[in-house]
């Protein structure tokens, strides 16, 4: 009887990349085809499985312990903060990622949100849809400074486009890549310098134990700055952002990520200066294709290498 792999990303159901799992000799199980599985559905499916091609659903310690045969989890993206990584390591379950697969999609969304915030595009479109002629004075990005918190695959793409728009860019990164020298006014800088000069601040850092953008960080930004978050909700103190918006210190907050997803209607999501999208950064045809293909290949490689080691033993 073939070993079982559980597949949960909605985009994977019916996708030809999944056929490679079957061709490699594995049984493929979809606990909730085309939908996010419930914890109960997922636990039942994983109970006898060796592999798990995971979506965005939480993978807590209890779920991992209930899957004694599980050897590898492959994410169709970069983030793995929904997985209890400590428990996975303790149990010997490898956690695999698809780095940079969605970088272009997230970078393009970031630029789109910057432009939408600078020109109040959601307000303008809603006004016309309502038969009105609402206009708000915008700001041009050319000649302004973009601050980046995180300059990895996504941040570097955003920097290049911002420079092409005529912006200057200052980036803070815990491990700056000295080989990144794009044409234009770009430099790595300490976080306080990035914050103090950022007309637009865009976040592209990994998850944080505590917010990087809190009250003091927001106070350090120039008045009327735009904050864009397509990274992780944990990077931002949402209460502090709401206070800055209410006080007029921030022109806009554009976000694709939330502490709870979906967030429902909150004081922040309903604020007129907030532009919210439904975690769509990597939700492009091209990003899905790259991420799913990489996740499938990573999972096959990991499980096949385990098979080979077992055979050697």
């Amino acid at each position: 009887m073939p070993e079982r792999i559980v597949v949960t990303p909605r985009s994977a159901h019916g996708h030809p990349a999944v056929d490679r799992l079957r061709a490699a000799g594995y049984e493929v199980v979809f606990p909730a085809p085309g939908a996010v599985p419930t914890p109960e559905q997922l636990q039942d499916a994983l109970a006898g499985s060796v592999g798990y091609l995971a979506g965005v659903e939480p993978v807590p310690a209890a779920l991992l312990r209930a899957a004694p045969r599980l050897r590898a989890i492959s994410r169709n993206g970069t983030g793995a903060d929904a997985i209890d990584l400590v428990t996975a390591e303790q149990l010997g379950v490898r956690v695999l990622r698809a780095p940079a697969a969605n970088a272009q999609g997230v970078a393009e969304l970031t630029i789109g949100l910057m432009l939408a915030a600078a020109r109040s595009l959601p307000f303008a479109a809603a006004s016309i849809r309502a038969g009105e002629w609402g206009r708000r004075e915008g700001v041009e990005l050319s000649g302004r400074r973009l601050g980046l918190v995180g300059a990895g695959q996504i941040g570097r793409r955003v920097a290049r486009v911002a420079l092409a728009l005529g912006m200057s860019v200052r980036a803070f990164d815990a491990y700056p890549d000295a080989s990144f020298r794009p044409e234009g006014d770009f430099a790595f800088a300490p976080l306080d310098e990035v914050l103090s000069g950022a007309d637009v601040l865009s976040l592209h850092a990994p998850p944080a134990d505590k917010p990087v953008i809190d009250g003091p960080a927001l106070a350090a930004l120039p008045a009327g700055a735009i904050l864009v978050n397509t990274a992780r909700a944990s990077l931002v103190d949402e209460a502090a952002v709401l206070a800055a918006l209410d006080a007029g210190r921030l022109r806009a907050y554009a976000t694709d990520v939330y502490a709870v997803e979906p967030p429902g209607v909150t004081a922040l999501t309903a604020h007129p200066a907030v532009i919210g999208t439904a975690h769509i950064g990597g939700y492009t045809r091209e990003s899905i294709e790259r991420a799913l293909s990489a996740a499938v290949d990573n999972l096959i490689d990991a499980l096949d290498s385990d098979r080979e080691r077992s055979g050697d033993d």
Side-chain angles (χ1 to χ4, degrees):
M1 185 174 181
E3 294 179 309
R4 180 190 303 167
I5 290 176
V6 171
V7 179
T8 60
R10 286 170 288 182
S11 58
H13 187 243
H15 195 284
V18 176
D19 291 336
R20 298 207 296 274
L21 297 173
R22 299 186 180 96
Y26 297 97
E27 176 192 3
V28 176
V29 174
F30 290 89
V36 177
T38 65
E40 294 75 20
Q41 288 174 322
L42 192 52
Q43 181 168 320
D44 289 345
L46 285 173
S49 300
V50 298
Y52 175 16
L53 202 163
V56 297
E57 64 279 356
V59 186
L63 184 62
L64 292 168
R65 294 194 180 101
R69 298 189 63 200
L70 189 64
R71 302 200 303 270
I73 301 173
S74 185
R75 273 280 294 116
N76 66 331
T78 302
D81 41 307
I83 302 171
D84 188 323
L85 298 175
V86 173
T87 301
E89 184 176 7
Q90 290 172 348
L91 297 175
V93 178
R94 298 170 65 183
V95 178
L96 314 163
R97 300 169 174 84
N102 64 0
Q104 187 64 28
V106 177
E108 290 186 9
L109 176 64
T110 300
I111 295 296
L113 290 173
M114 287 167 51
L115 292 166
R119 300 304 301 271
S120 301
L121 295 184
F123 166 80
S127 174
I128 291 294
R129 190 178 299 114
E132 300 170 355
W133 194 246
R135 304 173 78 200
R136 288 179 179 169
E137 184 181 68
V139 295
E140 296 178 1
L141 296 181
S142 178
R144 297 181 183 271
R145 174 162 291 179
L146 170 65
L148 295 175
V149 178
Q153 290 282 352
I154 298 169
R156 292 196 294 268
R157 284 171 166 82
V158 172
R160 290 190 184 98
V161 178
L163 291 166
L165 288 171
M167 302 184 78
S168 61
V169 180
R170 295 295 179 269
F172 169 77
D173 195 280
Y175 304 98
D177 181 359
S179 69
F180 182 64
R181 299 188 185 94
E183 185 176 343
D185 186 2
F186 172 88
F188 287 103
L191 181 58
D192 58 351
E193 183 179 331
V194 170
L195 293 175
S196 65
D199 299 302
V200 180
L201 184 69
S202 190
L203 309 181
H204 304 285
D209 293 332
K210 62 180 182 178
V212 176
I213 306 305
D214 54 12
L218 291 165
L221 295 173
I226 294 168
L227 176 62
V228 181
N229 187 7
T230 55
R232 291 290 184 272
S234 62
L235 296 173
V236 167
D237 181 336
E238 292 186 347
V241 169
L242 183 61
L245 290 168
D246 286 341
R249 296 196 306 275
L250 277 181
R251 175 185 176 89
Y253 177 48
T255 184
D256 191 42
V257 290
Y258 310 87
V260 177
E261 295 186 354
V265 178
T266 69
L268 187 65
T269 61
H271 197 285
V274 170
I275 301 172
T277 52
H279 209 143
I280 60 172
Y283 194 48
T284 68
R285 182 176 304 172
E286 296 83 358
S287 288
I288 290 170
E289 181 66 33
R290 286 190 297 267
L292 188 57
S293 184
V296 166
D297 290 342
N298 289 343
L299 190 54
I300 291 172
D301 289 346
L303 294 176
D304 283 356
S305 65
D306 284 347
R307 279 175 170 175
E308 291 171 6
R309 282 197 297 271
S310 297
D312 291 341
D313 292 343

